[in-house]
Amino acid sequence: MRERLLIVEDDAVIGAGLVTALEANGYIVEWATSGADALSRCDSCVPDLVLLDLGLPDSDGTEVCRRLRGMAPETRIVVLTARREEIDVILALESGADDYLTKPFRLAELLARLRAHLRRSRPSEGTPDQLLVRDLSIDVAARRVTVGRDEVELRPKEFDLLALLAVEAGRVVTRERIMADVWDEHWFGSTKTLDTHISALRRKLDGTGAPSRITTLRGVGYRLETE
């Protein structure tokens, strides 16, 4: 089935170029030129992925990202932005984006990232339907996570990341493997995306004042603790 993409971009040249390139690669593409237009389109038909510019004429892109995430929890959101400061990247990711790409960008890189994000999440052969680590339960098929009796809402990449750590619970998973398995083996970008997703997982899984379930091994990777 052809994936549906929503481009949110007020620059006519960039927007038209993206529509042409993405339609040529087999995607169904809609184009919104403002935050309000994007939210309206998403409300009527939820896309598989959103390409979101942060510099919109009627609203800040990070707020649009936050609202889109609330409307469409399973939709992948990739930010396309001219903003290069680290704080802008972090704010975009914490607002619900799965990834970011700075302008100007290469079409080949954009297409590679789209394919990585749109790849259907299927359990690997031999992966259990249920993963249990202490009071953390992961229903792989239903993509649901509970801590004790409380369900935890995770974004798509947060779930994929947690599931990988849970399969290897008690063992270190290297940053390189995480980027290859959860994002893409030919990843082009910074691993700041990974750091931000780990931080989000910790906030959602750990109780106030409790030790983190996820241990950082600086320069190596991460480990989901079993005790």
Side-chain angles (χ1 to χ4, degrees):
M1 189 173 73
R2 296 170 65 194
E3 289 96 347
R4 185 179 299 274
L5 309 186
L6 173 62
I7 298 168
V8 188
E9 171 63 66
D10 67 321
D11 185 297
V13 174
I14 294 176
L18 284 170
V19 170
T20 299
L22 295 174
E23 286 183 340
N25 277 271
Y27 297 109
I28 299 170
V29 184
E30 289 192 55
W31 178 15
T33 58
S34 68
D37 188 13
L39 294 169
S40 175
R41 289 173 184 268
C42 190
D43 187 48
S44 61
C45 184
V46 176
D48 297 295
L49 185 144
V50 176
L51 292 173
L52 175 64
D53 182 24
L54 294 183
L56 299 173
D58 62 339
S59 53
D60 186 77
T62 54
E63 179 57 29
V64 175
C65 183
R66 187 175 291 107
R67 294 181 65 182
L68 285 171
R69 176 56 65 208
M71 295 169 65
E74 293 298 316
T75 294
R76 271 60 172 173
I77 301 176
V78 177
V79 165
L80 293 177
T81 179
R83 302 177 189 176
R84 295 176 176 270
E85 296 297 324
E86 183 171 326
I87 185 60
D88 292 314
V89 173
I90 292 173
L91 285 173
L93 293 171
E94 291 186 342
S95 296
D98 295 292
D99 190 15
Y100 70 96
L101 186 63
T102 55
K103 300 175 182 177
F105 55 88
R106 294 183 298 155
L107 180 59
E109 178 178 355
L110 175 62
L111 290 172
R113 294 202 187 190
L114 293 187
R115 286 191 291 270
H117 286 295
L118 290 169
R119 186 185 300 123
R120 297 298 181 189
S121 298
R122 296 189 180 96
S124 302
E125 185 177 349
T127 300
D129 291 335
Q130 293 279 343
L131 297 167
L132 299 173
V133 183
R134 295 188 290 174
D135 62 338
L136 173 65
S137 175
I138 303 172
D139 185 329
V140 177
R143 295 180 69 83
R144 298 179 65 182
V145 174
T146 55
V147 175
R149 297 182 178 180
D150 299 322
E151 185 166 351
V152 180
E153 293 187 8
L154 298 182
R155 289 155 35 196
K157 288 298 182 184
E158 291 170 356
F159 181 92
D160 297 340
L161 173 55
L162 179 61
L164 173 59
L165 293 175
V167 167
E168 302 291 347
R171 296 186 290 269
V172 177
V173 184
T174 66
R175 295 176 67 89
E176 291 77 13
R177 180 182 171 192
I178 294 171
M179 295 308 299
D181 287 8
V182 177
W183 276 269
D184 184 70
E185 61 181 338
H186 302 298
W187 188 251
F188 290 93
S190 165
T191 56
K192 176 58 69 177
T193 298
L194 170 56
D195 300 330
T196 303
H197 278 71
I198 288 287
S199 295
L201 274 179
R202 284 175 169 148
R203 287 196 302 272
K204 293 179 179 182
L205 298 177
D206 300 334
T208 304
S212 178
R213 299 167 186 269
I214 303 173
T215 297
T216 301
L217 287 89
R218 194 169 300 279
V220 179
Y222 299 94
R223 180 178 64 234
L224 182 63
E225 300 295 354
T226 57
E227 298 180 358

